[in-house]
């Protein structure tokens, strides 16, 4: 509540009420109370002592001083990096048998690459910030408008914002070039809504438009402290000792843009990080995939294996050395270690450095590289997820969660704009008890299919009109035919009500074909478009008049322009649920037109309308069950005396300083009565293309879909039916607050009693439903279950005492629909399943109200395209249409999960195989810690000789093609069950590693006892180890081909190249020697080996025998215990591989127009999650396009950017 002269605060802060400024003794400056701020407009000196924040914003993660410590801290959060840091330190001590370079070099390389990546991403954020901070805005100085950068803007400055420009701060709206002091604002960056919002300046400030007049403005703004509530604002404007109340209608938020207004003038209230949008721009939570967390457990397990191996070696060394050192002829005083405990202790750490390669240091880097390429080259460039209509490709905003897309079990979806298009079309109407409109909605088709009926859709009449916002077909009303209906006067009133009762602004030429309607909601634009097509064309608006071109009113074919004087507008709000206009006809007739919700209009009808009301109610119920959004229309003729008497009260209420909204509502009640019902309208918000099929496919894949919406229960249930989420075969549990017991409690009005009754009812319903659900679950062929719950009941169901019951019931249901839920409740439900059920969740939405839900899930998806950017900027992935989920999850998600699992298992296998050969060797050396391989062999094994094939595996592995992945969605269940990363799979790979290491080691060492080289000498240690290493490199690389489902030329190139790289390295390394290096051990070894027949025989035999076990195991598994994908492979093994079609050959698949559109969409753009507009802005498409020679139309968001870019001299084009 706002009071005259000071800002109303709650009782807890009453002690901080502000003293009027004239009583303050500190000059012109007041002390700032904790609960409110005072801003002096057009007076920087008075604002300076308060120390308001500047308008510069920073969204970077690091600065010059924090980059190194913070960056390193991020890297050492990974267990493997901490492990290798410890190993690197150990390798620098005398007990290490290997050179420090063996461990330090790979670790340094890994950290360097990771830090460069972090620096590059943060540099992009910094550039984005600079671009925004250096955008220009005009401020008032010395009675003229002067441009300054946004960062220099201060609280209290008077600014001028031109059409299509973004607001640089939160601004108090003072005056506008539009009549009535209104302006139109697009809030797409804030809440995802593309329809324009109307903001209205206080009448007292309308004159401050030109610089001379604006410089006289010396107001004082008393308002709330900065907060993150986008839709509330409380304050007063004190001007010339007059106090005027302020509301959200006068606040223009940073991130929004000005539309359909030449320019506005305003005063800055909040700047920089204190603006509402920046206070909402919290950092997106850092997400790690479930597989990466399991990978940590695997590494801990491997570390435990390493400790076990070292303990075995340490114990063995202490036993062997203590009993067998006599032959060395050493005296006790000569002996370096005094006792077996000391011997075991030092040997333990020696072996840790020797076996350190068991944990692969290059694993994380390889996985990051694979995920990055998967995101940028496969997901972002998939034409199956490219929406040509809005020129929007899919966008992977993070590469950390690719494999998580292959394991999703629960999807939480918003409805409006996510499942539906948010494009309203006038579809049907009812006038005077007669229903009009022949079309069949998507929901009606779905109902008919469920009931086994065939839909006979009437053919469209020859004169039917179809345009955006209008999909109505009934010859009885079109082209003046309404004159022949039983109630032509009511038809005329309905069309006039649609044409007059609104706040729509016409734009462009005053012709029906070219005019564009700018409306505060898509519904309102659809209603005005309908009036136009019925022959009542609204084409011009002034502050007091609406002009309508009417056809066929007096006689068929006659067209006349009629000016209706608008006397009063009683605006729509969520309490009134209706909008009214009082207008005067040219002949002096006074009429009130009213449109609103059915229950509100029916309460205000005149007596004697029961019959029409009853028939209209039936029509409304039919429209509602067809999934249409309904509205009732009524009118009342007024006599001049009644109107004048009422208008005096209206003017008094409009000028009231206290409780203005309440008084206006009370005055409106006096005239909005005794109405005559005209009829109703029905508007369709269509489902997005392919939504029902997509949901059905995802359900077959084992994914459970929940819809969380703010809509009423009936609408949500109908939409759920329409998109195959709920069907008649399901058992439905409906928990609603619309019960008799709850209604009775609400009528009594005791809030404590209401809360108690609702909680008891919810508790009773939840337990009853859970018992019933468990009974169904125990039956053999029980029906699928669906739960529908509304927001009020959900609030109590989320109480800690009922949360477990709700979760158990929900998990037994295939589909869940939550209606009338708040953004916070959406996030709570998501967290409930994520944390309570430990299931992998995905949230998808398109607006600001979905951000908390998107960030609460394991994977967040934003719907981009026609909507705003806020949900997209908070998300991990962005797609343009809901139906693209099929490709994203069933194709890219499945493949990514399969690939990453295979990569991790392969890394584990190849490093364990390598380390075990060294381990077997320690048994022969008395556990002395003698190294089996040369240092450089060990260092380069992971990063050079086995690195590339595994990356190719991670990029190109495909079990089945994309088309088969979608044809058999059940394959996705393998990811939900985590079939490829179970401990059983780890055990199989570990067994394979043990077997192959034993074959490679024992075959070579045993056979080499009798082997001699060409000069007759027996093989030494380095001959044997080099031969074992060669067999190992061949076996491990060829194993890639054995485990791959799809082998490309890249597989052959990298496998052959890796083996060749080892041989080339061995030739060079073994052929040179220097006095100060350690490779004298292996000098000339490879040449000696290659001079023997034994070498070639061993290279042929050992890898074949070592891989034979895997070959037999895979054959047995495929025949007797196959995975689902192997069955599908067998079914389609004779079909040609269509996988090439899955790769993106843009030129062959797109029309020239679509190809150009796609080229524009692929231009460089910012992917930063936090920028100054509203979390992000799409970047410099137009600029980059001009650089690359692609034509791209200018976008509104480029305006602010262009102003900040330095002008460059034009380079003449070469002819």
């Amino acid at each position: 509540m706002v009071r005259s002269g000071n800002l109303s605060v709650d009782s807890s802060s009453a002690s901080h009420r502000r003293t009027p400024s004239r009583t303050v003794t500190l000059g012109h400056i007041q002390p700032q109370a904790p609960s409110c701020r005072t801003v002096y407009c057009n007076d920087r000196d008075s604002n300076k002592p308060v120390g308001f924040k500047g308008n510069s914003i920073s969204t970077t993660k690091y600065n010059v001083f924090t980059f190194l410590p913070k960056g390193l801290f991020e890297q050492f959060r990974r267990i493997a990096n901490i492990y290798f840091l410890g190993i690197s330190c150990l390798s620098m001590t005398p007990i290490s048998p290997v050179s420090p370079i063996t461990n330090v070099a790979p670790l340094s390389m890994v950290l360097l690459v990771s830090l460069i990546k972090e620096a590059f991403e943060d540099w992009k954020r910094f550039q984005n910030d600079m671009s925004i901070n250096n955008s220009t805005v005009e401020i008032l100085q010395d009675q003229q408008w002067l441009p300054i950068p946004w960062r220099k803007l201060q609280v209290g400055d008077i600014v001028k914002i031109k059409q299509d420009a973004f607001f640089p701060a939160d601004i108090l709206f003072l005056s506008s070039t539009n009549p009535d002091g209104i302006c139109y604002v697009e809030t797409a960056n804030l809440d995802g809504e593309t329809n324009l919002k109307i903001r209205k300046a206080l009448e007292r400030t309308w004159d401050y438009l030109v610089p001379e007049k604006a410089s006289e403005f010396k107001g004082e703004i008393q308002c709330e402290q900065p907060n993150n509530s986008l839709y509330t604002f409380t304050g007063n404007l004190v001007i010339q000792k007059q106090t005027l109340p302020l509301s959200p209608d006068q606040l223009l938020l940073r991130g929004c843009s000005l539309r359909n207004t030449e320019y506005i003038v305003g005063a800055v209230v909040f700047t920089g990080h204190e603006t509402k949008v920046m206070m909402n721009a919290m950092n997106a939570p850092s997400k790690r995939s479930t597989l990466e967390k399991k990978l940590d457990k695997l590494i801990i397990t491997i570390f435990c294996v390493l400790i076990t191996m070292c303990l075995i070696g340490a114990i063995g060394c202490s036993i062997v050395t203590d009993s067998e050192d006599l032959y060395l002829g050493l005296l006790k005083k000569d002996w370096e270690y005094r006792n077996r405990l000391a011997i075991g202790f030092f040997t333990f750490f020696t072996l840790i450095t020797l076996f350190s390669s068991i944990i692969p240091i290059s694993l994380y880097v390889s996985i990051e590289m694979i995920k990055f390429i998967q995101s940028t080259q496969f997901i972002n460039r998939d034409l199956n997820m490219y929406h040509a209509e809005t020129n929007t490709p899919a966008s992977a905003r993070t590469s950390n969660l690719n494999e998580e897309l292959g394991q999703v079990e629960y999807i939480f979806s918003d409805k409006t704009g996510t499942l539906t298009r948010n494009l309203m079309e006038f579809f049907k109407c009812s006038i005077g008890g007669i229903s009009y409109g022949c079309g069949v909605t998507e929901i009606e088709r779905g109902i008919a299919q469920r009931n086994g009926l065939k839909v006979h859709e009437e053919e469209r009449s020859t004169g039917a009109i179809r345009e955006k916002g209008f999909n109505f077909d009934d010859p009885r009303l079109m082209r003046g035919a309404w004159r022949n209906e039983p109630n032509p006067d009511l038809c005329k009133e309905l069309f006039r009500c649609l044409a007059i009762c609104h706040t729509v602004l016409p734009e462009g030429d005053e012709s029906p074909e070219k005019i564009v309607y700018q409306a505060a909601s898509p519904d309102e634009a659809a209603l005005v478009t309908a009036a136009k097509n019925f022959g009542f064309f609204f084409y011009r608006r002034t502050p007091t008049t609406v002009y309508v071109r009417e056809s066929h009113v007096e006689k068929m074919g006659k067209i006349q322009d009629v000016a209706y004087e608008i006397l009063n507008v009683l605006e729509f709000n969520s309490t009134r649920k209706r909008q009214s206009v009082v207008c005067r006809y040219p002949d002096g007739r006074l009429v009130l037109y009213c449109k609103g919700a059915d229950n509100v209009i029916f309460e205000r009808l005149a007596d004697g309308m029961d019959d029409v009301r009853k028939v209209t109610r039936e029509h409304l119920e039919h429209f509602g069950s067809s999934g249409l959004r309904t509205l009732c229309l009524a009118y009342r003729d007024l006599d001049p005396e009644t109107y004048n008497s009422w208008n005096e009260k209206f003017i008094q209420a409009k000028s009231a300083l206290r409780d203005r909204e309440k008084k206006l509502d009370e005055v409106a009640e006096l005239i909005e009565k005794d109405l005559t019902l005209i009829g109703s309208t029905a508007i369709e918000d269509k489902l997005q293309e392919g939504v029902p099929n997509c949901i059905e496919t995802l359900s077959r894949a084992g994914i459970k879909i929940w819809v969380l919406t703010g809509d009423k229960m009936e609408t949500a249930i109908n939409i759920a039916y329409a998109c195959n989420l709920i069907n008649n075969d399901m058992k439905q549990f409906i928990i609603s607050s619309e019960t008799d017991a709850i209604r009775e409690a609400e009528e009594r009005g005791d809030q404590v009693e209401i809360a108690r009754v609702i909680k008891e009812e919810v508790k009773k319903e939840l337990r009853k439903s859970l018992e019933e659900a468990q009974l169904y679950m125990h039956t053999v062929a029980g029906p699928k279950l669906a739960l529908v719950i509304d927001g009020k009941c959900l609030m109590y169901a989320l109480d800690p005492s009922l949360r477990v019951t709700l979760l158990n019931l929900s998990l037994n249901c295939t589909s869940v629909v939550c209606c009338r839920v708040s953004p916070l409740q959406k996030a709570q439900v998501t967290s409930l399943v994520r944390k309570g059920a430990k299931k992998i969740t995905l949230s998808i939405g398109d607006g600001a109200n979905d951000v908390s839900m998107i960030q609460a899930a394991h994977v967040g998806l934003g719907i981009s395209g026609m909507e705003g950017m806020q949900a997209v900027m908070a998300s991990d992935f962005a797609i343009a249409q809901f139906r693209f989920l099929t490709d994203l999850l069933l194709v890219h998600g499945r493949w990514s999960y399969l690939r990453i699992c295979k990569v991790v298992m392969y890394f584990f296998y190849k490093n364990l195989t390598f380390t075990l050969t060294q381990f077997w060797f320690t048994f022969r050396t008395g556990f002395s810690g003698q190294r089996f391989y040369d240092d450089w062999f060990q260092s380069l094994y992971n990063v050079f000789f086995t690195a590339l094939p595994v990356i190719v595996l991670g990029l190109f592995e495909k079990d089945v093609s994309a088309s088969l992945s979608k044809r058999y969605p059940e394959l996705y269940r393998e990811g939900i069950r985590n079939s490829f990363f179970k401990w059983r799979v780890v055990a199989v790979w570990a067994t394979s590693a043990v077997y192959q290491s034993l074959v490679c080691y024992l075959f070579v060492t045993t056979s080499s006892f009798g082997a001699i080289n060409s000069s007759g000498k027996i093989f030494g240690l380095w001959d044997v180890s080099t031969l074992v290493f060669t067999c190992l490199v061949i076996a491990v690389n060829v194993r890639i081909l054995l485990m791959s489902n799809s082998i490309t030329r890249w597989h052959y190139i990298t496998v052959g190249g890796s083996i060749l790289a080892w041989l080339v390295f061995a030739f060079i390394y073994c052929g040179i020697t220097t006095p100060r290096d350690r490779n004298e051990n292996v000098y000339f070894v490879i040449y000696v080996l290659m001079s023997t027949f034994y070498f070639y025989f061993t290279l042929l035999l050992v890898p074949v025998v070592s891989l034979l076990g895997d070959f037999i195991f895979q054959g047995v598994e495929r025949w007797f215990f196959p995975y689902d994908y192997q069955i599908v492979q067998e079914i389609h093994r004779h079909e040609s591989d269509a996988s090439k079609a899955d790769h993106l050959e843009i030129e062959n698949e797109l029309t020239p127009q679509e190809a150009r559109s796609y080229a524009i969409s692929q231009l460089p753009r910012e992917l930063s999650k936090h920028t100054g507009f509203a979390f992000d802005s799409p970047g410099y498409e137009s600029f980059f396009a001009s650089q690359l020679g692609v034509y791209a139309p200018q976008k509104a968001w480029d305006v602010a950017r262009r102003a900040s870019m330095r002008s460059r001299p034009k380079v003449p084009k070469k002819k």
Side-chain angles (χ1 to χ4, degrees), residues 120-372:
F120 176 69
E121 287 182 352
D122 219 43
W123 176 251
K124 282 167 68 182
R125 289 190 200 107
F126 175 74
Q127 286 181 314
N128 209 28
D129 290 345
M130 285 299 98
S131 165
I132 289 159
N133 289 334
N134 291 322
S135 304
T136 55
V137 63
E138 292 185 27
I139 72 162
L140 184 67
Q141 284 184 353
D142 303 326
Q143 294 195 2
Q144 58 181 331
W145 299 116
L146 296 176
I148 64 163
W150 280 19
R151 58 190 162 81
K152 293 186 178 178
L153 199 62
Q154 293 182 18
V155 171
D157 286 349
I158 305 297
V159 295
K160 174 184 178 182
I161 310 294
K162 295 179 180 176
Q163 181 164 333
D164 295 331
F166 287 96
F167 300 121
D170 290 351
I171 295 168
L172 177 69
F173 179 26
L174 298 177
S175 58
S176 162
T177 52
N178 282 344
D180 269 4
I182 61 170
C183 74
Y184 293 84
V185 174
E186 186 180 273
T187 61
N189 273 344
L190 293 186
D191 54 20
E193 295 183 15
T194 50
N195 49 290
L196 301 185
K197 310 288 189 299
I198 296 174
R199 296 288 178 262
K200 192 165 187 175
L202 296 174
E203 206 166 326
R204 179 70 179 74
T205 64
W206 287 1
D207 296 335
Y208 301 115
L209 195 60
V210 293
E212 295 78 19
K213 190 74 179 169
S215 60
E216 298 172 9
F217 178 66
K218 296 287 182 184
E220 181 182 312
I221 301 168
Q222 298 172 349
C223 67
E224 62 194 16
Q225 289 289 5
N227 59 68
N228 63 359
S229 174
L230 293 171
Y231 306 109
T232 61
F233 178 69
T234 310
N236 292 329
L237 174 63
V238 182
I239 178 169
Q240 296 172 355
K241 297 186 180 179
Q242 185 181 2
T243 302
L244 306 170
L246 300 172
S247 71
D249 278 345
Q250 285 86 49
L251 193 68
L252 307 173
L253 300 181
R254 177 177 180 139
C256 301
S257 54
L258 186 66
R259 295 281 187 265
N260 301 333
T261 309
E262 188 183 338
Y263 70 88
I264 62 106
V265 173
V268 177
V269 183
F270 302 123
T271 50
H273 287 278
E274 290 187 337
T275 56
K276 288 181 180 284
V277 68
M278 291 307 292
M279 293 190 84
N280 272 280
M282 61 181 185
N283 290 348
S286 178
K287 294 182 181 179
R288 291 181 72 208
S289 72
T290 313
L291 198 141
E292 196 174 329
K293 291 172 188 170
K294 287 177 181 171
L295 177 57
D296 284 348
K297 292 180 183 175
L298 177 61
I299 286 177
I300 291 169
T301 306
I302 297 171
F303 184 72
C304 293
V305 171
L306 171 65
I307 297 296
T308 306
M309 288 162 61
C310 294
L311 280 173
I312 292 170
I315 294 167
C317 183
S318 59
I319 293 169
V320 170
T321 311
D322 199 47
S323 60
E324 297 185 11
D325 62 348
L326 298 176
Y327 73 93
L328 296 173
L330 296 172
L331 299 172
K332 281 288 180 187
K333 60 184 176 61
D334 299 324
W335 186 234
E336 187 179 353
Y337 307 121
R338 299 300 172 195
N339 58 57
R340 68 174 66 187
L341 190 64
I343 292 168
F345 178 79
F346 286 109
T347 304
F348 178 82
F349 287 103
T350 299
L351 293 176
I352 276 188
T353 56
L354 192 63
F355 299 154
S356 63
S357 59
I358 192 171
I359 295 177
I361 192 167
S362 57
L363 172 61
Y364 284 112
V365 174
S366 299
I367 288 178
E368 277 190 9
M369 190 186 302
I370 289 166
K371 286 182 180 181
F372 179 74

Side-chain angles (χ1 to χ4, degrees), residues 1061-1121:
W1062 153 244
L1063 293 173
V1064 169
F1065 171 80
F1067 267 99
I1068 297 169
Y1069 184 65
C1070 296
I1072 57 171
T1073 184
T1074 57
R1076 294 190 181 182
D1077 67 8
R1078 303 180 63 183
N1079 76 348
E1080 67 275 3
N1081 300 320
V1082 292
Y1083 178 63
F1084 226 64
V1085 160
I1086 194 72
Y1087 300 98
V1088 171
L1089 284 172
M1090 291 185 75
S1091 66
T1092 66
F1093 170 77
Y1094 168 75
F1095 173 78
Y1096 301 101
F1097 179 73
T1098 308
L1099 282 196
L1100 199 63
L1101 177 68
V1102 172
V1104 169
V1105 175
S1106 66
L1107 293 173
L1108 187 63
D1110 290 317
F1111 182 76
I1112 293 170
F1113 174 79
Q1114 284 185 210
V1116 171
E1117 182 185 61
R1118 191 177 185 90
W1119 275 100
F1120 299 106
F1121 313 101

Side-chain angles (χ1 to χ4, degrees), residues 1140-1158:
K1140 289 182 181 178
D1142 300 325
H1143 289 296
L1144 308 170
E1145 300 296 336
I1146 297 166
E1147 301 82 3
N1148 300 334
E1149 297 187 34
L1150 294 183
T1151 63
Q1153 175 63 25
E1154 287 176 333
R1156 188 185 69 76
S1157 188
Y1158 187 83

Side-chain angles (χ1 to χ4, degrees), residues 42 112 195-196 249 367 483 502 577 630 643 692 740 775 869 891 955 977 993 1100-1101 1122 1187 1197:
N42 212 3
L112 182 65
N195 49 290
L196 301 185
D249 278 345
I367 288 178
R483 290 172 59 87
H502 56 75
K577 295 183 180 175
T630 57
Y643 170 71
D740 294 335
L775 281 174
M869 298 299 291
V891 180
L955 293 178
R977 294 193 297 264
L1100 199 63
L1101 177 68
Q1187 299 295 304
W1197 51 69

Side-chain angles (χ1 to χ4, degrees), residues 744 748 777 791 816 996 1169:
E744 285 172 16
R748 291 195 291 272
M777 296 303 287
V816 177
Q996 288 191 22
K1169 289 180 182 165

